[in-house]
């Protein structure tokens, strides 16, 4: 538990939230600034800053909660689709340093567009080199 972490304050009940789901280890509540209405955050009660620091078993259990919320959004809101977003580090847009998944209901008519500008590799060799660098640190 971190004293000045916003999401730890929500876990403690010091800051209110629109609760969607809770169990022994996790809490889900509406994002205060939704990309689409119904946009929900899933957090562990325990404080971990981001994905690399979070124990793998906790992360595995967290994915079950993410799946549960996604299913509930599909059923309750009649969503046509779901985006799952998880930011790590300022460069990736993480503003709150308590690991969380964004579960965002999507509708064919919602008008939202991700600014996803696909780039390309200079050569097949550069692409393979990138794969090799990451692969070497996978185990
Ligand atoms: P991220 O940029 O991935 O760290 O996302 C942090 C999210 O927390 C943002 O989408 C904010 O809108 C959301 N947020 C900030 N304060 C609150 C709050 N008090 N209750 C609910 N969501 C919040
Ligand atoms: Zn925290």
């Amino acid at each position: 538990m971190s004293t000045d972490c916003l999401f730890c304050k929500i876990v403690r009940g010091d800051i209110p939230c629109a609760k969607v789901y809770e169990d022994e280890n996790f809490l889900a509540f509406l994002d205060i600034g939704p990309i689409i209405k119904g946009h929900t955050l899933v957090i562990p009660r325990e404080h971990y800053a981001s994905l690399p620091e979070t124990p793998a078993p906790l992360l595995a259990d967290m994915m079950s909660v993410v799946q549960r919320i996604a299913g509930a959004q599909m059923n309750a809101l009649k969503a046509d689709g779901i985006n799952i977003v998880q930011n790590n580090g300022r460069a990736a847009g993480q503003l709150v340093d308590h690991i969380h998944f964004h579960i965002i209901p999507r509708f064919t008519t919602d008008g939202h567009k991700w600014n996803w500008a696909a780039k390309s590799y200079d050569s097949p060799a550069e692409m393979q080199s990138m794969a090799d660098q990451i692969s070497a640190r996978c185990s």
Side-chain angles (χ1 to χ4, degrees):
M1 202 57 98
S2 162
T3 45
D4 53 359
C5 168
L6 179 68
F7 287 174
C8 283
K9 287 179 183 165
I10 288 179
V11 168
R12 286 198 300 269
D14 296 347
I15 292 179
C17 71
K19 197 178 291 177
V20 168
Y21 172 83
E22 66 178 330
D23 63 26
E24 195 186 343
N25 296 316
F26 302 101
L27 183 61
F29 54 92
L30 293 187
D31 192 304
I32 205 165
I35 291 177
I36 307 291
K37 289 177 184 176
H39 176 166
T40 302
L41 301 175
V42 172
I43 68 171
R45 291 185 184 278
E46 214 172 327
H47 179 95
Y48 295 99
S50 65
L51 191 89
E53 291 94 339
T54 305
L58 185 72
L59 211 46
D61 289 346
M62 202 169 167
M63 284 313 295
S64 296
V65 178
V66 168
Q67 185 185 43
R68 179 191 290 260
I69 303 303
Q73 287 181 348
M74 299 286 284
N75 288 330
L77 307 178
K78 305 291 173 239
D80 301 310
I82 303 283
N83 283 125
I84 308 295
V85 175
Q86 203 278 311
N87 301 324
N88 296 281
R90 293 289 173 274
Q94 183 179 14
L95 296 173
V96 179
D97 293 335
H98 182 131
I99 186 174
H100 52 281
F101 283 82
H102 297 254
I103 298 96
I104 303 160
R106 298 302 308 275
F107 301 88
T108 50
T109 54
D110 66 34
H112 179 73
K113 296 261 185 295
W114 297 105
N115 187 18
W116 191 306
K119 300 184 176 58
S120 59
Y121 290 97
D122 294 340
S123 64
E126 188 203 17
M127 190 172 175
Q128 188 57 52
S129 163
M130 188 63 66
D132 291 345
Q133 285 176 58
I134 301 169
S135 177
R137 296 299 182 103
C138 273
S139 52

